[in-house]
Amino acid sequence: MADLALIFVGSVLVNNFVLARFLGICPFLGVSKEIETALGMGMATTFVLVLSGAATWLVQNYILAPFGLPFLQNVAFILIIASLVQLVEMFLQKTSPGLYRALGIFLPLITTNCAILGLAILVVQKDYTLIQTIVFALGAGAGFTLALTMMAGIREQLQFADVPKPLQGAGIALITAGLMSMAFMGFSGMIAM
């Protein structure tokens, strides 16, 4: 039980996918303009992380590894992720049309979000069990959502700040992301992962 807590806290704070591993930067910078949209994107990504983590673990351990097909790992993982994103997209379109419209082009981009594929590959490298994989995926999603909503909150406040003209937009967003990353480095001594 303690190792599951360490995996979760480590993936949220210490090895945050966005701020420490630099995975998922595209939606981090693209969807972090409003807190509501960022929160929706974070939850959708978390959902896909958990589903794809479990699905890729099952495929890896019950199909690829037993049949000696590790060379198909990336292709299989990408196909699984693309299928799951399509299911999430259809689900959001039916249940939450407002969030579906707010996410716009970024929802299909979850398919190419390197955080999702990164999770699947890291799970194989770390040789996690299915339960550890799900906890790791939940932590990664929570960390992604945390970073995304923090950035959205900061960017909403920056709209009212006197930012120099050359730094407005992407410039100040990248500086803010760098400062957030350095702040999260403070957690690195907490847990060795």
Side-chain angles (χ1 to χ4, degrees):
M1 190 66 173
D3 66 326
L4 294 178
L6 289 175
I7 290 171
F8 182 81
V9 172
S11 60
V12 172
L13 298 174
V14 179
N15 292 313
N16 185 289
F17 269 43
V18 176
L19 300 173
R21 295 186 188 269
F22 303 108
L23 296 171
I25 297 294
C26 179
F28 176 68
L29 294 174
V31 187
S32 62
K33 293 180 181 159
E34 296 176 4
I35 291 177
E36 186 177 327
T37 307
L39 192 58
M41 179 63 156
M43 289 191 294
T45 302
T46 301
F47 183 68
V48 172
L49 278 167
V50 172
L51 282 180
S52 65
T56 55
W57 186 90
L58 290 169
V59 167
Q60 174 66 26
N61 288 292
Y62 290 108
I63 297 173
L64 299 177
F67 293 107
L69 302 170
F71 58 90
L72 291 176
Q73 186 181 65
N74 289 345
V75 174
F77 290 175
I78 289 169
L79 288 173
I80 291 166
I81 292 165
S83 302
L84 289 173
V85 169
Q86 281 299 110
L87 290 173
V88 169
E89 188 173 358
M90 290 186 306
F91 177 77
L92 281 178
Q93 190 174 14
K94 295 282 185 201
T95 60
S96 182
L99 179 59
Y100 176 76
R101 282 189 303 279
L103 292 175
I105 188 66
F106 293 102
L107 191 57
L109 286 178
I110 291 177
T111 305
T112 59
N113 187 341
C114 57
I116 313 267
L117 183 59
L119 176 104
I121 293 170
L122 284 169
V123 163
V124 171
Q125 288 176 352
K126 293 176 181 277
D127 199 29
Y128 281 156
T129 65
L130 181 59
I131 299 298
Q132 289 173 324
T133 298
I134 292 170
V135 170
F136 184 57
L138 279 171
F144 182 81
T145 305
L146 174 69
L148 202 60
T149 52
M150 284 174 56
M151 182 67 153
I154 292 169
R155 287 180 82 176
E156 282 185 357
Q157 294 299 312
L158 282 172
Q159 290 177 355
F160 305 108
D162 188 22
V163 178
K165 187 124 178 109
L167 293 179
Q168 290 177 356
I172 196 69
L174 290 170
I175 291 170
T176 303
L179 292 171
M180 288 174 63
S181 181
M182 288 193 314
F184 269 66
M185 283 177 57
F187 295 116
S188 64
M190 222 168 91
I191 300 171
M193 287 194 68

